Amino acid sequence: MFLRSDESSTRGVTDAESIAELEEMLRQRDARIAELERIVGELSKVIEAWKRGHRVRPGGKIAQKPRDKRRATGRGPGRPEGHEGTSRPAPTSADRDVPVPVPPRCSCGGIIEPTEEEPGEHFVEELIPARKEVIRFRRCRGRCRDCKAAVLAPLPGGLGPSPKLGVRAQAEIVQTKSELGLTLGQTKKLFERQGLTVSRGGIQQILHRSAEVLAAGHEARPTSPSRKKLLPVGRRRPHHASACGTASGSRPYSCA
């Protein structure tokens, strides 16, 4: 608040003091505005981070927590000294043999001559890449003796009315969702690596059909009888104790 010269003189306040007071008020106001602008900027970053799908806000506890760096213990890999070692068990039978000839020369430079001794054995487990197999069902035809109707042999069960994929392929697709939890895109890529092209819509249809079959099986399954309620010993009823064939105090619970 500005003071006139006559008022300032009556109150003993000079113009220099009034100007200094006003400058201090402006400085405090500018500092407050700067602080509010900083807070607004941080909140804007948090809002933008949540819009992008972040689960941890910038500068949160996880971001501020330093990562623990493991310190070297000085011990090599494997079990400690004095403990029995363990390793993956090797197979005892082979599906095919691969002969490995001896090299022509020794490490000393001499020529190596093959001998008639029994060769050494080393077993290695390997994966066989999956390949697509196209099956052609040759459906036989017949004719009814009575109505003379033409009959075409039905397809094996489980294929569906107009199948494009076999039973094993459909089961693999269901397992990728139920056991592995893969998305439709991941399942599509997995089968493309094996030479089988399946669209996302086709995968979704197979999953829906399997869900309908499982739901029908659950509905057709007879309901199991409800379990009898257990009552503490102190709340037993006399006729229940005799029906269950237990004497008082022989068991902590009885049927109800």
Side-chain angles (χ1 to χ4, degrees), residues 15-29:
D15 293 339
E17 293 177 350
S18 299
I19 294 173
E21 183 180 355
L22 293 175
E23 289 178 349
E24 179 64 21
M25 293 174 60
L26 292 175
R27 188 187 65 79
Q28 294 178 1
R29 185 174 300 176

Side-chain angles (χ1 to χ4, degrees), residues 36-56:
L36 293 176
E37 288 179 350
R38 184 186 65 80
I39 295 174
V40 170
E42 292 181 355
L43 294 178
S44 300
K45 292 180 180 179
V46 173
I47 294 174
E48 291 298 327
W50 279 103
K51 287 182 178 179
R52 293 193 301 267
H54 289 280
R55 293 297 178 265
V56 181

Side-chain angles (χ1 to χ4, degrees), residues 2-16:
F2 293 96
L3 300 176
R4 292 181 298 179
S5 60
D6 53 351
E7 293 179 356
S8 61
S9 61
T10 57
R11 295 177 57 184
V13 179
T14 61
D15 293 339

